């Protein structure tokens, strides 16, 4: 008895509509042959972060797997793939003492003065 081949579903990070030139998006024929998730789902002025991709791609992958199909994750940058595979990284922890010290140092400063201080400190790094 022949084993039935699973159909592949592509999960792609080309979320913006109307940005087709230079993006190497799948052709209409390719889209018709294989379903694609996360393709042309947002307007160009909408934000889409690595965290958004993580959530959307994991959801799409679960939906594809639940139908006993094979998801193929393609496109994007290594950072997006790393988040997809390993999950969102934890943000660095900052102690309350450090936060209190910074708040004390910038208390009473205006935005421009506080920014100048940060630029000075950053330049020394």
């Amino acid at each position: 008895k022949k084993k039935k081949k699973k159909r592949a579903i592509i999960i792609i990070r080309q979320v913006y509509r109307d940005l087709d030139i230079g993006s190497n998006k799948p052709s209409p024929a390719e889209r018709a042959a294989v379903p694609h998730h996360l393709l042309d789902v947002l307007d160009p002025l909408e934000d889409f972060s690595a965290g958004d991709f993580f959530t959307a791609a994991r959801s799409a992958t679960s939906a594809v797997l639940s139908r006993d199909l094979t998801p193929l994750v393609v496109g994007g940058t290594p950072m997006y793939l790393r988040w997809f595979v390993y999950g969102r990284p934890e943000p660095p922890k900052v102690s309350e003492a450090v936060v209190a010290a910074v708040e004390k140092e910038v208390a009473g400063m205006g935005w421009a003065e506080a920014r100048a201080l940060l630029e000075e400190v950053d330049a020394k790094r």
Side-chain angles (χ1 to χ4, degrees):
K1 185 176 179 179
K2 281 188 174 181
K3 188 174 181 180
K4 184 179 176 183
K5 289 185 180 181
K6 288 185 180 181
R7 186 169 181 197
I9 307 290
I10 297 178
I11 299 168
I12 194 166
R13 201 194 81 72
Q14 291 177 326
V15 297
Y16 293 112
R17 292 181 203 100
D18 303 322
L19 297 181
D20 299 339
I21 297 173
S23 65
N24 197 29
K25 283 187 182 177
S27 69
E30 291 168 324
R31 294 178 196 199
V34 179
H36 290 71
H37 286 261
L38 306 183
L39 179 64
D40 292 340
V41 294
L42 296 175
D43 290 321
L45 295 179
E46 293 181 74
D47 291 333
F48 192 75
S49 68
D52 295 330
F53 174 75
F54 170 81
T55 301
R58 286 282 180 103
S59 176
T61 300
S62 293
V64 170
L65 290 170
S66 74
R67 297 185 340 241
D68 197 33
L69 299 171
T70 302
L72 301 174
V73 180
V74 300
T77 64
M79 179 185 76
Y80 281 73
L81 183 59
R82 191 170 33 254
W83 277 43
F84 176 78
V85 172
Y86 299 112
R88 292 181 184 195
E90 286 293 319
K93 304 291 184 214
V94 179
S95 73
E96 290 182 26
V98 169
V99 171
V102 170
E103 286 176 345
K104 182 179 177 182
E105 188 167 355
V106 298
M109 287 185 185
W111 176 251
E113 189 179 358
R115 181 181 170 111
L117 174 64
L118 289 173
E119 288 175 349
E120 180 184 323
V121 171
D122 190 55
K124 294 178 183 175
R125 295 181 91 207

